[in-house]
Amino acid sequence: MKTSIHGGARIRLHDGPFQQKITPSIAPSFIYQRQGVTDQLSLVMNFHYDPIMAGFWYRGIPIMGKEFNDKVNQDALIFLLGLKYK
């Protein structure tokens, strides 16, 4: 059986004057997956200031230390930079 739990939020950092449409925000989120004896956790932090987006993903489970096959249970750090346009 596979279990997957995910969640996140988009948090405005401040409202500009006159409730302007473009305001900076952060978007923390997570994805946890488990199948059999395998666990995977991804932690995500994105920064949005339209039309620019930047952020990073961390994949691994740091609190668990080493896996059963003696490998460190941390395997990826991903950086993201994006531009949104019509």
Side-chain angles (χ1 to χ4, degrees):
M1 180 167 86
K2 181 176 182 179
T3 303
S4 180
I5 302 169
H6 56 92
R10 188 161 180 174
I11 304 163
R12 291 180 135 181
L13 296 178
H14 69 81
D15 288 327
F18 308 111
Q19 296 292 328
Q20 63 187 9
K21 201 173 190 179
I22 301 171
T23 59
S25 62
I26 57 172
S29 58
F30 72 94
I31 303 168
Y32 172 76
Q33 300 178 87
R34 180 180 181 99
Q35 187 168 6
V37 297
T38 304
D39 291 283
Q40 185 181 67
L41 175 67
S42 295
L43 301 173
V44 183
M45 179 60 75
N46 287 327
F47 173 76
H48 298 266
Y49 192 66
D50 291 336
I52 298 169
M53 179 178 67
F56 68 91
W57 286 62
Y58 168 78
R59 185 173 63 199
I61 303 180
I63 60 173
M64 293 191 61
K66 295 187 176 195
E67 291 182 346
F68 61 92
N69 58 0
D70 207 31
K71 291 184 179 177
V72 175
N73 198 3
Q74 304 174 53
D75 68 337
L77 184 60
I78 304 158
F79 295 96
L80 172 71
L81 182 60
L83 183 62
K84 182 174 148 181
Y85 64 94
K86 294 182 180 182

